[in-house]
Amino acid sequence: MTGHSAPRLLGAPVREGVPEHGRMPKYYAAKAQLTALLEELGEGGLLPTERELAERYGVARETLRLALRELLLEGRVRRQGRGTVVAGPKIEQPLSLSSYTEGVRRQGRLPGRRLIALERFAAEGEVAEELGIAQGDQVWHLERVLLADEERVGLESTYAPVALLPGLDDGFEPESSFYRYAKDCGLVAGGGRERIETVLATPREALLIGTPPALPMLLLHRSSWDASGRPFERVRTLYRGDRFSFSAELSAGE
Amino acid sequence: MTGHSAPRLLGAPVREGVPEHGRMPKYYAAKAQLTALLEELGEGGLLPTERELAERYGVARETLRLALRELLLEGRVRRQGRGTVVAGPKIEQPLSLSSYTEGVRRQGRLPGRRLIALERFAAEGEVAEELGIAQGDQVWHLERVLLADEERVGLESTYAPVALLPGLDDGFEPESSFYRYAKDCGLVAGGGRERIETVLATPREALLIGTPPALPMLLLHRSSWDASGRPFERVRTLYRGDRFSFSAELSAGE
């Protein structure tokens, strides 16, 4: 490097998670070794037992468990029966008005949905505001577990004005796409807004999705409007953080 | 509701995280009470001590700590000195080619950056591929801690071909915007691609950002190209999951 005025540190081009003071926590060293092992084994490969691994890496069982737990929370391994296997890549979901169905299918997986609740109630506060209806107007609440290859991967809550979709409880097949149904009812998607954050699942949500309670989730808030700018849905979808990532294409005009 | 063929459950319109079998875990009941208290106190309000709160809600200290820990991980409270205060809303960062600086400023906060490393090395594997250069070609690696109002909120790693920005180590002010510098060097942003996921910080990352190790982070991968389609950066930014959310506007054409 040539002369320069800015203060800087020189180091190896890639530093694998080691604090600058140079001491690598034991669990993290074990995690690095496990990561190399996952590469060798490949997707679906069965890991040796905790006891074997702890011996192999010369660490305490508790230390090995810490390392395995992080890999589990990050979706790099998963439990299968009583064993632990190397997980496949995360499902990449496009941030766009395409449906869950489309996004999952694009990854070569079989999308599915399981109905938890379909109910109508009088809209209040935020729900009424976001849907652009009066307080007390009737709204649908449709709650479904999202499946990918029969695995539970998320939980979706959709709110929609009853006035726009009066027959939802009769004509809609709850395992199918809500967007297709809305389209069949003449609601043409015009635009929307999404916001993503990471949250912890509530006990009820963890139970419905079948996740460990500490698992970080991705929560997607979506509001959509039709071609005339009239809001027609407010969606709140919780995706397993170990199974999903979200992508967006950007253009310079944005 | 009228007659219908689909199976469904009826319930209250909003169920606050309670499993269907109706037993609410004690820590979650305490969390619900704390949430109501946060509303009352408002942003910046100081919470009573753990002992006081445990007594008030009739739960064990350990149970109260579990509830507080979740609120902390979710960014709804934060530590201040030896106390705990109600946190402000998450910073909403647009998913777009606008810079970090712009996004944070839009929220009325003061953006900043602190240089950790600026180094050049011979590109290998993925880095070379994503930047569309040959293996062994020189790349910059610029690593900076992101600040909002002097608080450390993220860690950004930027990789860029040295051939496109030969003077980065001399002419670039590391506290300023990389995009503005690239623009001044004639690199006009043409488009990009972003992917978001939730991950756990490595020990080194947690140390640099000053986060508790268990805190879920949002990891943003970005690749950008110039107006002629030539890749000019590969960025990997880690944002505190308790301090950030990301938003996108969607149009039906996408």
Side-chain angles (χ1 to χ4, degrees), chain A residues 2-4 7 15 18 90 92 95 115 143 169-170 189 192-197 204 246-248 250 252, chain B residues 3-4 7 15 18 90 92 95 115 143 169-170 189 192-198 204 246-248 250 252:
Chain A
T2 57
H4 46 70
R15 285 162 309 234
V18 186
K90 288 183 181 179
E92 195 177 319
L95 278 176
L115 184 68
E143 188 180 37
D169 61 342
D170 236 8
R193 190 165 186 286
E194 288 191 330
R195 189 164 58 83
I196 291 188
E197 58 181 331
R204 176 176 178 274
F246 287 85
S247 62
L250 312 169
Chain B
H4 46 71
R15 284 162 308 234
V18 186
K90 288 184 180 179
E92 195 178 319
L95 278 176
L115 183 68
E143 189 180 37
D169 60 344
D170 237 6
R193 189 165 186 287
E194 287 191 330
R195 189 163 59 82
I196 292 188
E197 58 180 331
T198 176
R204 175 177 179 273
F246 287 85
S247 61
L250 312 169

Side-chain angles (χ1 to χ4, degrees), chain B residues 82-246:
Chain B
R82 303 191 60 172
T84 302
V85 298
V86 182
K90 288 184 180 179
I91 300 172
E92 195 178 319
Q93 188 78 349
L95 278 176
S96 69
L97 287 180
S98 64
S99 70
Y100 170 76
T101 315
E102 238 174 273
V104 171
R105 225 171 244 151
R106 212 175 294 176
Q107 310 277 309
R109 285 161 179 271
L110 188 71
R113 291 188 181 85
R114 190 176 299 146
L115 183 68
I116 301 299
L118 175 58
E119 57 212 1
R120 53 191 288 174
F121 64 95
E124 283 180 8
E126 240 178 46
V127 172
E129 264 169 52
E130 279 188 39
L131 289 175
I133 57 178
Q135 306 276 331
D137 278 4
Q138 292 286 303
V139 289
W140 291 117
H141 175 218
L142 171 66
E143 189 180 37
R144 298 184 291 178
V145 167
L146 302 179
L147 308 169
D149 292 341
E150 291 297 308
E151 182 194 5
R152 289 178 289 170
V153 292
L155 183 65
E156 185 171 77
S157 266
T158 303
Y159 299 86
V162 171
L164 292 184
L165 296 165
L168 193 69
D169 60 344
D170 237 6
F172 173 61
E173 174 52 57
E175 274 75 40
S176 69
S177 163
F178 174 77
Y179 289 105
R180 185 167 312 155
Y181 178 79
K183 207 175 166 186
D184 290 348
C185 295
L187 289 170
V188 179
R193 189 165 186 287
E194 287 191 330
R195 189 163 59 82
I196 292 188
E197 58 180 331
T198 176
V199 297
L200 301 170
T202 65
R204 175 177 179 273
E205 290 163 346
L207 195 78
L208 285 172
I209 309 179
T211 56
L215 188 76
M217 308 291 277
L218 286 166
L219 174 60
L220 194 83
H221 307 261
R222 177 191 280 183
S223 297
S224 311
W225 42 88
D226 69 6
S228 67
R230 187 174 47 172
F232 74 87
E233 61 157 10
R234 171 190 192 259
V235 189
R236 181 187 182 282
T237 316
L238 204 60
Y239 293 91
R240 288 184 67 134
D242 58 344
R243 305 297 300 120
F244 279 89
S245 70
F246 287 85

